[in-house]
Structure formats: structure tokens, C-alpha cells
Amino acid sequence: SDDVGGLLASATSSAKGQALASKVMQLGKAARNGYVLGAVGPDSYDCSGIVWQAVHQLKFYSGSRFTTESFTSIARSWCTQVQSPALGDIVLWDISGSGGHMGVSLGGDKMYSARSPEKGIGTSTVSGDSGAFGQRPTYWRVK
């Protein structure tokens, strides 16, 4: 469910992870026009735009706008790559040439992201999106 209070009670997540999960859901719910490729808010977002806006507003990352393809080149300065996701970790499919996808883990198999013009912004499963992209994502935790 999209019960933020229940998500924030997750014992395995960090304070930064809790803040990021909460912020990305807040931004998504406020986006009146849903998914728009290239958008960074506040009325619409694409997948990297909503993650960038969330980490930017939380002051976890103050650099220029990243995309799924540029994320790994800037991530190591403020994130640590981890093997399995906890609440608030960034989930990334970096697919050369086609961009890929990114979102924020809600714990377990759930994630929150700006999905597509048809699917909008909301919750999906990491396993379902992995099926769609044909590969496993990498996971990034804010330091």
C-alpha cells in the first residue's frame, strides 16, 4: 500500500532512506500531470527527474540533473552500491542506448517511480520491472 507511516516504521532503513521514500511519494502524489519525459516537476516528472528532484530537495545531492545513463558516473560521490535494497534505496536499470529506468525502493519487491505516460507515477514491483527491462537493477544507498 502507499501507507507512508507504515513504510517509515521499517527497521532496516536509514533515516535518509526513510526521508527519500517519503519525499519521492510526496512529489509523485502532487504531480498533477503525471509522467512527462524530461520533466523535473512540480506538475510532471520522468523516472530520473522525480528521483533527482527528491534528492535535490533533501540536499543529499546538489549537482546538475542526472539521467538513468549518467547516474552511475555521479552516484559514487554520494551513494554506496548495495546488493539488496532497503527502504529508500535508489533502484537503477542503466540500459545502454535505451536509457533504462529508476525509482526508489519501498522495501522488499516494491518500488515507487515515474513509470510511463500510460502507467503514470506510483508503486510497482522490482521483479515486474526487471522482467520488462530484461535485466536486474543495481541498488544505490545514500551515504
Side-chain angles (χ1 to χ4, degrees):
S1 79
D2 282 346
D3 172 20
V4 177
L7 293 172
L8 297 184
S10 172
T12 59
S13 64
S14 66
K16 285 183 176 178
Q18 291 177 16
L20 182 52
S22 181
K23 176 59 76 175
V24 79
M25 291 171 74
Q26 176 192 347
L27 293 174
K29 287 185 168 108
R32 294 191 306 270
N33 299 329
Y35 180 99
V36 174
L37 185 63
V40 295
D43 293 328
S44 52
Y45 296 95
D46 69 5
C47 67
S48 55
I50 197 169
V51 175
W52 176 81
Q53 188 63 250
V55 299
H56 196 77
Q57 287 188 19
L58 292 166
K59 299 187 177 8
F60 296 160
Y61 170 74
S62 59
S64 60
R65 161 87 148 98
F66 52 75
T67 65
T68 55
E69 290 176 307
S70 67
F71 181 79
T72 52
S73 66
I74 60 93
R76 294 188 200 290
S77 65
W78 56 282
C79 294
T80 302
Q81 190 170 352
V82 295
Q83 288 307 305
S84 56
L87 176 71
D89 288 347
I90 296 167
V91 185
L92 173 71
W93 288 266
D94 177 11
I95 302 169
S96 182
S98 71
H101 186 59
M102 71 186 333
V104 174
S105 174
L106 300 181
D109 192 35
K110 296 259 193 258
M111 63 178 275
Y112 193 88
S113 66
R115 301 181 67 205
S116 69
E118 299 77 28
K119 295 177 181 173
I121 300 172
T123 305
S124 61
T125 61
V126 174
S127 58
D129 286 350
S130 291
F133 295 112
Q135 68 181 54
R136 290 177 51 81
T138 54
Y139 302 105
W140 300 82
R141 186 163 298 154
V142 177
K143 292 179 184 174

